[in-house]
Amino acid sequence: MATETVENYLKAIMTLAAESPTREATVSRIAAVVGVTRGTATSMIKKLTAGGLARAERYGGVTLTSSGRRAASDVLRRHRLIETFLVRALKFDWSEVHEEAERLEHAVSPRLLERLDEFLGHPACDPHGDPIPGRAGVVIEPAAKPLSSCKVGAVVRIARVIDQSAAFLRFMAQHGLKPDAKAKVVALHAPAQSMEVEPHGRTKLVLALAAAEKILVHAGR
């Protein structure tokens, strides 16, 4: 079994690559997510490459090999099922569960994980809208786009929240912008790099485009 450090790197690379248009993770972003210096991240990426878990281009990004993707999917499956269990069964707030799952994901056994999955009814997504990999390691990414790319008048449904910092999630919940909630784009303010959004049944609010980019949506229905 991979060490906790290796698992953290694999999970970070997979998550960042999925969010990137190039499907690659940069060393600087990996370092930021894992919480280490760029030099430390570079050293670990070299070890992952030597171990056949990752590929790193000299002047490009980092991707996972098939072995690396399987290992990363396993970690993500544990993490996201634990988050779902904490919210649904133990009534944790969705802004609290990321750090708790970070601690527990390395300790849960395969047997316990499958019991959790069965208990939860085999959920497709966690409380933040992130897809939960299946037992075979397949990750089905939702067909969604950033809220920041929507035009005025668009009615959308929240699919996923990428930024899982506690403060951002609390802000989202406060304004009714959680997965499956509807919202309408009321105005765009290009000079201010912001947009005005009206969550269903709530008052309007102004979002910076940088914040709206972290909210993935699909057409409301």
Side-chain angles (χ1 to χ4, degrees):
M1 182 176 178
T3 66
E4 180 175 330
T5 300
V6 168
E7 288 186 341
N8 286 337
Y9 272 89
L10 294 176
K11 183 178 64 173
I13 295 169
M14 178 174 242
T15 302
L16 291 170
E19 297 171 1
S20 169
T22 64
R23 297 303 180 200
E24 296 177 329
T26 64
V27 176
S28 58
R29 290 290 293 125
I30 294 169
V33 169
V34 178
V36 298
T37 65
R38 183 184 173 93
T40 299
T42 299
S43 297
M44 176 54 74
I45 290 166
K46 288 180 180 178
K47 292 179 181 179
L48 296 177
T49 301
L53 296 172
R55 298 189 188 91
E57 299 297 331
R58 184 175 177 81
Y59 299 107
V62 182
T63 59
L64 296 177
T65 63
S66 57
S67 296
R69 285 194 298 273
R70 283 195 299 272
S73 293
D74 180 58
V75 186
L76 282 177
R77 176 172 169 78
R78 283 182 259 149
H79 182 96
R80 293 172 179 174
L81 279 172
I82 290 168
E83 286 190 334
T84 306
F85 175 76
L86 292 175
V87 170
R88 289 193 191 177
L90 301 186
K91 307 305 178 185
F92 274 69
D93 186 81
W94 75 329
S95 66
E96 303 174 306
V97 295
H98 181 72
E99 293 301 324
E100 295 295 337
E102 287 281 300
R103 299 184 186 96
L104 294 170
E105 67 189 26
H106 305 290
V108 65
S109 70
R111 182 183 180 189
L112 176 56
L113 189 70
E114 295 316 312
R115 288 289 183 90
L116 280 179
D117 189 29
E118 183 180 355
F119 174 79
L120 294 167
H122 310 291
C125 298
D126 73 8
H128 312 107
D130 293 325
I132 298 174
R135 292 180 65 181
V138 178
V139 185
I140 302 176
E141 296 287 344
K145 62 181 180 180
L147 176 60
S148 57
S149 68
C150 296
K151 297 180 179 180
V152 174
V155 177
V156 299
R157 189 180 295 275
I158 309 299
R160 186 177 182 183
V161 181
I162 293 176
D163 186 340
Q164 294 179 11
S165 64
F168 189 73
L169 291 175
R170 285 194 294 267
F171 172 82
M172 291 285 288
Q174 178 184 352
H175 294 283
L177 292 172
K178 297 184 75 171
D180 208 36
K182 278 187 175 183
K184 183 178 181 179
V185 178
V186 194
L188 294 173
H189 306 293
Q193 290 293 291
S194 64
M195 67 194 309
E196 195 170 348
V197 177
E198 184 177 15
H200 183 69
R202 302 290 187 107
T203 57
K204 300 174 186 177
L205 74 151
V206 175
L207 286 174
L209 292 183
E213 190 173 8
K214 302 172 183 176
I215 305 167
L216 301 187
V217 302
H218 47 63
R221 55 183 183 274

